[in-house]
Amino acid sequence: MAQDFKKLARNVVAGVGGAENVTNLTHCMTRLRFILKDESKADDAKVKNIPGVMGLVKQGGQYQVIIGNNVAAAYKEILPLGVEGSVAQDDAPKEKQKWTPKRVGMTILDAIIGTMTPLIPAIIGGSMVKLLAMLLLMTGVAGETSSTYVLLNTIGDASFFFLPILVAVSASKKFGTNTYLAVAIAGLMVHPAFMDLMAKAAEGQAVTLAMIPITSVKYTYTIIPAIVMAWLLRYIEAGVDRITPVVMKNFLKPMLILLVGAVIAISLVGPMGVWLGNGISAVVYGIHGKLGWLAVAIVGAIWPLLVMTGMHRVFTPTIVTTIAETGSEAMVMPSEIGANMSLGGASLAVAMKTKNRELRQTALAAASSALIAGITEPALYGVAIRLKRPMIASVITGFIAGAVAGLAGLASHSMAAPGLFTSVQFIDKDNPTSILWIAAVMAISVVVSFALTLIIGFEDIPVEDDEADMTNDGSVKLMAPMTGMAKGLLGKGMAIDPEDGKVVSPIAGTVTTVFPTKHAIGLTDDNGVEVLIHVGIDTVSLNGEPFTAKVAAGDRVAVGDELLEADLDAIKAAGLPTTTMVVITNSDQFKDIAPVAPGHVSFKEHVMEVFHHDMEAGTEPAMA
């Protein structure tokens, strides 16, 4: 059944405190990123339990609701509900907080992630077009001097060459500054005349603005200077606004902002930003140089954990700059192969082994997304984190596959998420065997994670509400509350001779009664079916001694939640039968009740079906 995104949108907006509590909304490839006026008004539990929501992450001032590959459809349906999708997040009222090293770090991280996330489609698109040009050159379809090759390479390179301008647009929206002034300053950095001056300065010629010396720096493909300048512009604008007379603001204010901003950019912020970026890259790849394949293996192992926290975006500027300047990246991107494909393999194993229909569908969709497109958050949040042990399989596999990728010397020419369709980005035109290594790493990732997940196992999710609720034929199915031999009753119910004393809920609903002697529990499911579970015969006489209740009246329970524990040996020692009865106490409200055929049953098996069509009064109620 197609997902109802209108309903999902309404539920999400209600869960975050209503449209009036949202200052800004953006989205990335899998997450809705809310900026909330008051985060305390959001109901985390409610949001997490919305059908279609895979998880929730709160980071860097953002309330991130994980939707998966259909996030754009959800975003589209949210906007008409009165949620603004274009207001700068810094317009949101913030409480004054003490600046600490942790807060400074989170603010910087948030600035990088918030600026770079909207640019990823342009960066990926450009790198893939450059990759297409390289493949045409490798296969001899286009020559290096042909106009086809030159144009394709230029189309792909445009996103990188003019990266400071793209960053200025994104960062200005992030910080709430004037986009066009930010673009004008960034445009100076890549202006042909300015670049000619920088080339002359590199050759030793003095370049000054009045008496201010200008350091020779190449700004194409850079990121940090434009981010810092967009942030500084808010203070430059405020300062200039205070000193300009009202009658001259229309022309003097923008002139001074542009002039002051440009001077600061090319004399101070620009050189320092480039040096900082180069320093970060030097540290990252210095570690790679020291550890070699081990560095790739370590990043492959921890990559899912980085994605969980959003820390993976920290590597984006380094990857972009490295690919733009050298043509390839050989540490972070190769490590992602094993991380992505392993989540896909683990999800396939879960889909094969689970008995939960909904989980199987989720796992299959998540596996397809991870394996084909390299989008792993559905697998990460919908399967690995949810079931825990598949995450262990993914981490182990990420290390193994990362080690192989590092030993093979694989490097990426794009920053597209590694998957089946994007694996061509690792082809090395000077090394034909790279194709075989790519195939080997991907195969290892899927096979090892699949096998490890089956070996380690996972605690399967019991049949959820949709499987225990009303079916298309108008019936409600109940799961066995105990493991043992089942038989029908003369009344409207069934009996089980249990093998152990664990009693779980056969339905999703509410605990209505826990008998004082704890030998019986009453439940009501969401469709109004009232169920009584009575453990043993005449066990009321034992005054509750062999029983331990796990729930209380009023508790909400899901299918498979433990209700009570019975000491069967103590019941038998008292000379009483342990036969447990499961009875529908309001059977007169239903058309018919069909208990399971006699035989062995377990917790995850349907044992009774209640046909939910109303009947005329007069049907004999079941005996409790």
Side-chain angles (χ1 to χ4, degrees), residues 194 196-198 200-202 204-209 212-215:
F194 179 76
D196 287 342
L197 282 176
M198 293 298 94
K200 292 177 181 178
Q205 180 177 325
V207 176
T208 61
L209 177 60
I212 302 173
I214 307 299
T215 304

Side-chain angles (χ1 to χ4, degrees), residues 49-232:
N49 290 323
I50 294 172
V53 172
M54 295 182 176
L56 175 65
V57 175
K58 292 187 284 187
Q59 182 187 62
Q62 291 185 338
Y63 194 89
Q64 302 173 16
V65 181
I66 303 163
I67 302 297
N69 295 340
N70 292 317
V71 65
Y75 175 82
K76 182 180 178 180
E77 296 296 342
I78 289 177
L79 295 183
L81 301 178
V83 174
E84 292 290 342
S86 59
V87 180
Q89 78 171 45
D90 283 309
D91 290 341
K94 295 182 176 63
E95 296 180 3
K96 290 187 177 181
Q97 301 177 20
K98 182 179 179 181
W99 285 97
T100 62
K102 180 179 179 180
R103 188 180 173 214
V104 170
M106 290 301 298
T107 301
I108 294 173
L109 176 62
D110 178 53
I112 294 174
I113 293 174
T115 298
M116 296 306 300
T117 297
L119 303 183
I120 289 177
I123 293 169
I124 291 177
S127 59
M128 293 304 290
V129 172
K130 291 185 71 173
L131 179 61
L132 174 62
M134 185 193 79
L135 293 175
L136 293 178
L137 185 64
M138 284 176 59
T139 56
V141 175
E144 194 168 358
T145 58
S146 69
S147 59
T148 297
Y149 172 79
V150 173
L151 284 173
L152 282 176
N153 197 56
T154 303
I155 291 170
D157 195 53
S159 299
F160 296 96
F161 190 90
F162 294 105
L163 192 58
I165 295 177
L166 299 182
V167 171
V169 172
S170 183
S172 66
K173 293 180 178 179
K174 167 72 178 174
F175 298 118
T177 53
N178 188 294
T179 298
Y180 303 102
L181 289 172
V183 168
I185 294 172
L188 164 66
M189 298 178 175
V190 293
H191 193 287
F194 179 76
M195 292 176 66
D196 287 342
L197 282 176
M198 293 298 94
K200 292 177 181 178
E203 296 172 356
Q205 180 177 325
V207 176
T208 61
L209 177 60
M211 298 180 63
I212 302 173
I214 307 299
T215 304
S216 175
V217 177
K218 181 181 178 181
Y219 291 105
T220 53
Y221 311 110
T222 62
I223 292 171
I224 294 179
I227 293 179
V228 176
M229 281 310 305
W231 173 69
L232 281 177

Side-chain angles (χ1 to χ4, degrees), residues 500 593 600:
D500 62 56
I593 296 172
H600 188 273

Side-chain angles (χ1 to χ4, degrees), residues 497 535-539 571-572 574-580:
D497 289 327
V535 182
I537 298 174
D538 292 331
T539 47
I571 296 173
K572 293 175 183 177
L576 299 176
T578 59
T579 301
T580 297

Side-chain angles (χ1 to χ4, degrees), residues 380-410:
L380 182 62
Y381 291 98
V383 179
I385 296 175
R386 188 179 182 185
L387 301 178
K388 299 180 180 64
R389 292 183 204 167
M391 174 66 86
I392 299 174
S394 177
V395 169
I396 295 172
T397 304
F399 182 89
I400 296 171
V404 176
L407 289 169
L410 292 180

